[in-house]
Amino acid sequence: MKSPLNMGIGVGVVILMVASFFYKVSFGGEFIPSFGLWVAAWMTLIILSFLYKDNPFYKAAEHIMVGLAMAYFAIYYIFQVLEPRFYNRLVLNELQPGEQLFGSPEVFRWALIIPAILGCLMLTRIFPKVAWMSRWSIAATIGLGSGLAIPVTIQANITTQIRAASQLPLDYMTALHGNAEVMPGFTNVHLWQIGVPLLMIGTICGLMYFFFSVPHRGVFGYAATFGIWILMIGFGASFGYTVMARLSLFIGRVLFLLKDWLDWLPT
Amino acid sequence: MRRTVPLVITFIAGVAMIVSFFVNDGTVLSVASSKVKEWGIIIAGFAVVLGTGNIVRVTLHKAKRGEDRPFKIVLLVCLFATMFLGLFFGIDKEIRSTWMNFGMFEREYNPFYWIYFNIQLPLGATMFSLLVFYITSAAYRAFRVRSIEAGILLTTAVIVMLGQIPISSAIGADKVMAWIMVVPNVAAKRAIFMGAAMGIASMSLKIILGIERSYLGGDS
């Protein structure tokens, strides 16, 4: 907002927005729902204005979003986690049946002081002299996360995937016998017959590409090359899906403006 | 004290989590391990408080230096106003009793929900929808079919995009897309997931055993 012209345009846009809202409300719209709709529409238009160029409205909206998102996250965590899991149990003594430690609900209740102390130690990061104490709570969080990650990732991403891949030969035999229902919604049995071996070989070759303990030469090199082709198909599919997801989000916003806000399209 | 205690805490917490996953027979060990998992969630709750405090500190510091001062004030006002409304009225669509409003305003439209629905949601959705323009222009500038791999990536992306538009069934792109998504795409994702899982598991093990210590900071 450096030049008077830009300032004038900015003030004009704000006046236009406010005037248009009151114009709409004066024709029978209810105040609070209409106001919400109009605020949402203004926010949408302000963000879209960035497509022309960076401007103070967009910058303000950007900062509004950061403030709101942080506040929403904090409040959500307070009411969904700290209140039911900590405050209600420790301060209000509202324990569920079966919530006990070493056979005693009281031990369970008072043991909650330990995470509270560790949580408070995290706040020592604000004070440089005792900031080192925050490492204790960080260590607890990192340790819990790491300990949880080992069995969970092995189970979800290795054993489950191996189990699903082991099922493939059985599916392949079923497909060879002409049962097109082997994959829901997939009626072309020939494509499926090609797909099953490709899926098995593709997975193995993809893993071979990630195996760097052996030089990628000879037969191993060919397999790794095929693996990178398969990986490229995966990346291409992800890219295409991401673009279309963003596009559908954009269509959603345009429909919101045209249908909900301006009422130009039939509902 | 500054180095050893965090490493011991990490080890105990990590082992407790692994034990809670494998031992689920109601013994003292398994019950205690599962409670430790709950503690982690509570500790993370305090981290949110720290995060909020940190954003306020950084924003105030920038505002004092005169860096985008009006916008920083907007950020702080939005942050505090929303937090106040959230603490006062709760997070549900209808206002609920919280310790701050002493049970007033039962079953009324919640302003916190109003802010989320009418400001935060459209801002977020439009911000992400803008990416379609940048992702497309970046792809147009960056994608050149210089190798077989780049050609495969580009062809797949185009087919997947074509497969999701209304005329896809007329040109047969929907069937090809469906096949790509369930056959080569699954093969690729499966290989990536397995590789990433092995990486995560080995890194986690290094952290629990105290071999990887970078999370403790520079002077550890």
Side-chain angles (χ1 to χ4, degrees):
Chain A
M1 242 191 265
K2 279 172 187 165
S3 74
L5 179 67
N6 281 351
M7 183 90 88
I9 291 171
V11 172
V13 168
V14 171
I15 291 170
L16 197 69
M17 282 175 164
V18 176
S20 58
F21 164 67
F22 281 107
Y23 175 77
K24 184 86 175 176
V25 168
S26 65
F27 277 91
E30 283 181 51
F31 186 82
I32 291 294
S34 299
F35 185 64
L37 191 67
W38 280 69
V39 169
W42 293 339
M43 291 299 159
T44 305
L45 288 173
I46 285 169
I47 295 291
L48 289 178
S49 72
F50 187 72
L51 287 173
Y52 172 61
K53 75 180 200 191
D54 199 1
N55 60 74
F57 291 109
Y58 175 78
K59 235 174 177 177
E62 212 177 20
H63 284 78
I64 289 171
M65 193 180 154
V66 173
L68 293 187
M70 189 68 226
Y72 182 81
F73 185 60
I75 293 296
Y76 191 85
Y77 221 93
I78 287 168
F79 280 115
Q80 292 291 319
V81 177
L82 289 182
E83 190 190 30
R85 288 172 191 262
F86 177 68
Y87 180 79
N88 288 354
R89 283 170 173 169
L90 184 67
V91 181
L92 304 182
N93 197 15
E94 288 177 3
L95 296 177
Q96 302 293 321
E99 282 186 332
Q100 48 185 299
L101 194 59
F102 304 120
S104 163
E106 281 303 304
V107 176
F108 175 85
R109 182 187 167 201
W110 291 110
L112 287 169
I113 288 176
I114 298 171
I117 291 169
L118 285 171
C120 290
L121 284 179
M122 198 171 265
L123 304 180
T124 59
R125 208 156 182 84
I126 300 166
F127 312 104
K129 278 192 177 174
V130 286
W132 59 272
M133 290 176 87
S134 66
R135 284 179 185 168
W136 294 3
S137 46
I138 291 169
T141 316
I142 297 278
L144 291 172
S146 303
L148 200 62
I150 292 175
V152 168
T153 51
I154 288 175
Q155 191 192 37
N157 292 338
I158 297 180
T159 53
T160 309
Q161 300 294 341
I162 290 172
R163 195 188 304 137
S166 319
Q167 181 71 22
L168 284 173
L170 195 66
D171 292 349
Y172 183 52
M173 296 307 289
T174 319
L176 279 179
H177 286 91
N179 184 357
E181 288 303 310
V182 77
M183 191 181 289
F186 211 82
T187 49
N188 191 326
V189 75
H190 300 298
L191 272 179
W192 181 225
Q193 284 170 349
I194 302 165
V196 174
L198 183 66
L199 186 44
M200 293 167 68
I201 295 166
T203 306
I204 294 164
C205 291
L207 280 170
M208 285 167 97
Y209 174 75
F210 287 123
F211 192 68
F212 296 109
S213 299
V214 174
H216 289 190
R217 283 198 296 266
V219 178
F220 196 90
Y222 289 123
T225 306
F226 184 68
I228 190 77
W229 290 354
I230 291 289
L231 291 176
M232 283 299 150
I233 293 177
F235 293 141
S238 297
F239 176 77
Y241 238 87
T242 308
V243 170
M244 294 312 279
R246 300 280 183 260
L247 191 62
S248 70
L249 214 52
F250 180 71
I251 291 168
R253 295 322 296 163
V254 173
L255 279 177
F256 164 75
L257 290 175
L258 296 180
K259 204 195 274 184
D260 299 343
W261 182 47
L262 295 172
D263 213 5
W264 284 359
L265 295 176
T267 48
Chain B
M1 192 76 164
R2 293 187 182 196
R3 265 180 73 167
T4 315
V5 174
L7 291 176
V8 171
I9 292 173
T10 308
F11 180 78
I12 293 169
V15 171
M17 281 298 93
I18 296 171
V19 168
S20 77
F21 188 84
F22 289 108
V23 184
N24 192 21
D25 57 354
T27 54
V28 172
L29 184 68
S30 71
V31 172
S33 305
S34 67
K35 297 307 168 207
V36 172
K37 199 188 291 179
E38 287 251 325
W39 291 359
I41 299 168
I42 294 168
I43 297 169
F46 284 88
V48 173
V49 177
L50 180 67
T52 312
N54 200 41
I55 206 168
V56 171
R57 195 173 60 88
V58 171
T59 310
L60 275 176
H61 182 65
K62 284 188 176 172
K64 270 183 195 164
R65 283 195 317 197
E67 235 177 81
D68 287 340
R69 187 174 290 159
F71 302 118
K72 300 300 170 199
I73 293 168
V74 167
L75 191 155
L76 290 174
V77 168
C78 288
L79 178 73
F80 285 120
T82 314
M83 281 196 80
F84 173 75
L85 289 173
L87 286 172
F88 200 79
F89 295 116
I91 55 171
D92 303 322
K93 190 173 181 181
E94 288 165 348
I95 295 169
R96 69 166 177 163
S97 303
T98 69
W99 50 272
M100 269 191 77
N101 64 29
F102 310 108
M104 298 186 295
F105 313 113
E106 281 291 333
R107 301 186 67 77
E108 297 224 2
Y109 199 71
N110 188 344
F112 181 76
Y113 187 83
W114 185 92
I115 287 176
Y116 173 75
F117 197 76
N118 293 306
I119 302 179
Q120 199 180 339
L121 210 63
L123 279 177
T126 318
M127 194 86 84
F128 278 107
S129 77
L130 275 190
L131 289 180
V132 72
F133 295 97
Y134 296 105
I135 208 170
T136 311
S137 73
Y140 177 73
R141 277 178 281 140
F143 275 171
R144 294 285 180 273
V145 185
R146 294 199 187 97
S147 61
I148 297 172
E149 287 84 7
I152 292 170
L153 192 146
L154 198 60
T155 312
T156 313
V158 169
I159 292 170
V160 169
M161 283 190 266
L162 283 176
Q164 293 177 75
I165 58 175
I167 60 159
S168 62
S169 56
I171 58 175
D174 58 340
K175 286 193 176 67
V176 183
M177 186 201 84
W179 186 81
I180 286 174
M181 292 312 287
V182 293
V183 178
N185 179 52
V186 169
K189 292 286 151 41
R190 206 166 262 170
I192 292 168
F193 283 157
M194 285 183 184
M198 283 187 257
I200 291 168
S202 59
M203 178 55 87
S204 301
L205 198 62
K206 279 171 77 177
I207 288 171
I208 291 170
L209 296 176
I211 300 165
E212 170 62 47
R213 303 173 181 191
S214 56
Y215 66 92
L216 291 175
D219 57 339
S220 63

